[in-house]
Amino acid sequence: MTKTALVVGASGIVGSATAALLVDKGWKVHGLARRPSVQSGVSPVAADLLDAAGTATALAGIDPDAVFITTWLRQDSEAENIRVNAAMVRNLLDGLPKPTGPRHVALVTGLKHYLGPFEAYGKGTLPQTPFREEQGRLDIENFYYAQEDEVFAAAARDGFSWSVHRPHTVIGKAVGNAMNMGTTLAVYATLCREAGRLFTFPGSAMQWSGLTDMTDAGQLADHLLWAAETGAAHDEEFNVVNGDIFRWQWMWGRIAEWFGLEAAPFDGTVRPLEQQMADDAGTWRAIAEREGLAEPDLARLASPWHTDADLGRPIEVVTDMSKSRRLGFTGYRPTDDAFFALFERLRADRLIP
């Protein structure tokens, strides 16, 4: 029998990759977003998850075997992040018709589970790296925890299984996404080439020389589907990364080479992209008009604040995936290949020249 999926946040980096994988695997896929994009094989569902009644109306008649929650809304404070994002998950799960058969709900969060929310990011007492799932929650309010609690409460009420997925920084394609390092670096590299600027690492000495990892959107999509279809993975929390580790002092040169740029020597000075790119909106619009690019608005492609947060961290961040490996997940994607595949796709889709 054909299985039915509801992908929440289907127009985002993770949601679009997950929807594409499910379609390829023969699932019937509904893609929910406030403004759904056109995706091959995906039935659009338009809903504002902050509108409980409207969400229930939009979901009427949809009885999914699996629900993949890949969305969130950034707010001005963690208290507001908690209020808004918990309500979105609650309204979604309350608005779904009660399951007529086994149902699985997968929630995508991230490593801020271990690092703390934006207001206290990488501060205070943190668990040792590599991060492992059994290290649990920090003693601080975090909207990821609030989202989890909504899933756990609804699962206890409605009897579905669940999984929580914690990627590191995700590499993938989406326009208008709030956290998008891969496209941000591609746009930054294009601007450097246009202006004859050196490709300058924006972050900290720790991130330059320390070990780290990342998560390709396709790897995360594979992991979400694996957990939904694997009984031993139900009611479990998982880290999910590509499987390799690297240092930015190596990766930065790899990215510079792909774009035909010279990487600036790193002298230990933090040079945030928010500052480096502060006056680049007009330059990008001119590039887009000259090259016939699909998106002339720099703000819809680049999220320098998020890239600065990741690359400016004062601690090493490495993620353990032993839990998934022991249960049979064997996915692996080299991170440099993930970057290069994204850059090729951005070029093919006329998002960069």
Side-chain angles (χ1 to χ4, degrees):
M1 293 180 61
T2 299
K3 291 185 176 181
T4 298
L6 174 66
V7 179
V8 183
S11 59
I13 291 177
V14 177
S16 60
T18 303
L21 175 65
L22 292 165
V23 169
D24 185 61
K25 297 296 184 181
W27 286 58
K28 180 180 179 181
V29 181
H30 299 275
L32 186 149
R34 283 176 294 170
R35 293 178 294 276
S37 57
V38 176
Q39 295 173 263
S40 178
V42 178
S43 299
V45 179
D48 179 354
L49 294 180
L50 291 175
D51 178 355
T55 297
T57 298
L59 295 174
I62 299 177
D63 182 15
D65 299 284
V67 179
F68 302 92
I69 305 173
T70 71
T71 190
W72 71 288
L73 281 177
R74 186 187 181 202
Q75 305 299 308
D76 290 336
S77 68
E78 192 59 19
E80 277 298 288
N81 275 331
I82 290 168
R83 183 186 68 81
V84 168
N85 289 284
M88 289 168 61
V89 174
R90 182 169 60 253
N91 292 341
L92 168 74
L93 298 177
D94 288 352
L96 279 168
K98 294 298 180 273
T100 59
R103 176 179 293 173
H104 184 79
V105 174
L107 172 67
V108 177
T109 61
L111 295 194
K112 285 188 290 296
H113 178 93
Y114 308 105
L115 289 163
F118 290 120
E119 291 180 1
Y121 193 60
K123 300 175 182 177
T125 302
L126 300 174
Q128 290 184 340
T129 57
F131 294 139
R132 293 181 171 87
E133 295 88 348
E134 63 267 22
Q135 289 169 318
R137 296 180 175 184
L138 301 175
D139 187 20
I140 188 171
E141 294 297 310
N142 189 321
F143 83 87
Y144 283 169
Y145 306 160
Q147 287 181 308
E148 289 178 349
D149 288 342
E150 293 294 344
V151 171
F152 301 157
R157 179 192 68 205
D158 295 336
F160 57 76
S161 61
W162 54 266
S163 56
V164 174
H165 303 256
R166 299 172 187 150
H168 199 167
T169 304
V170 177
I171 302 169
K173 183 207 165 190
V175 175
N177 192 272
M179 300 191 296
N180 195 338
M181 181 189 285
T183 303
T184 298
L185 293 181
V187 168
Y188 172 60
T190 302
L191 288 163
C192 287
R193 188 172 58 200
E194 178 77 8
R197 302 188 329 224
L198 292 175
F199 191 58
T200 302
F201 184 72
S204 68
M206 174 58 76
Q207 291 306 303
W208 179 254
S209 60
L211 292 171
T212 193
D213 48 31
M214 292 184 73
T215 307
D216 181 75
Q219 171 85 336
L220 179 50
D222 286 343
H223 194 260
L224 287 163
L225 179 56
W226 165 79
E229 295 185 325
T230 302
H234 290 177
D235 302 338
E236 296 287 351
E237 303 164 355
F238 296 103
N239 298 327
V240 50
V241 288
N242 287 335
D244 64 342
I245 56 175
F246 63 92
R247 302 179 200 275
W248 274 105
Q249 61 187 17
W250 174 79
M251 186 67 76
W252 198 252
R254 295 278 286 160
I255 294 173
E257 182 180 4
W258 196 93
F259 284 97
L261 293 169
E262 181 181 353
F266 181 67
D267 63 5
T269 303
V270 176
R271 296 180 172 88
L273 287 182
E274 276 202 299
Q275 295 176 14
Q276 292 193 53
M277 301 173 68
D279 300 321
D280 283 337
T283 303
W284 182 259
R285 186 169 294 277
I287 294 171
E289 291 175 358
R290 185 187 71 218
E291 303 290 341
L293 301 183
E295 182 52 71
D297 185 352
L298 179 64
R300 285 184 48 77
L301 291 175
S303 52
W305 70 271
H306 173 257
T307 299
D308 287 340
D310 270 10
L311 299 185
R313 290 181 297 212
I315 58 172
E316 184 176 85
V317 178
V318 185
T319 315
D320 181 77
M321 271 194 72
S322 297
K323 187 175 185 180
S324 294
R325 303 302 187 203
R326 289 189 176 104
L327 293 177
F329 181 77
T330 59
Y332 169 79
R333 302 199 181 203
T335 300
D336 53 345
D337 287 355
F339 271 123
F340 300 156
L342 171 63
F343 301 156
E344 292 283 6
R345 186 177 177 192
L346 293 175
R347 183 168 284 173
D349 291 346
R350 302 305 301 157
L351 289 169
I352 62 172

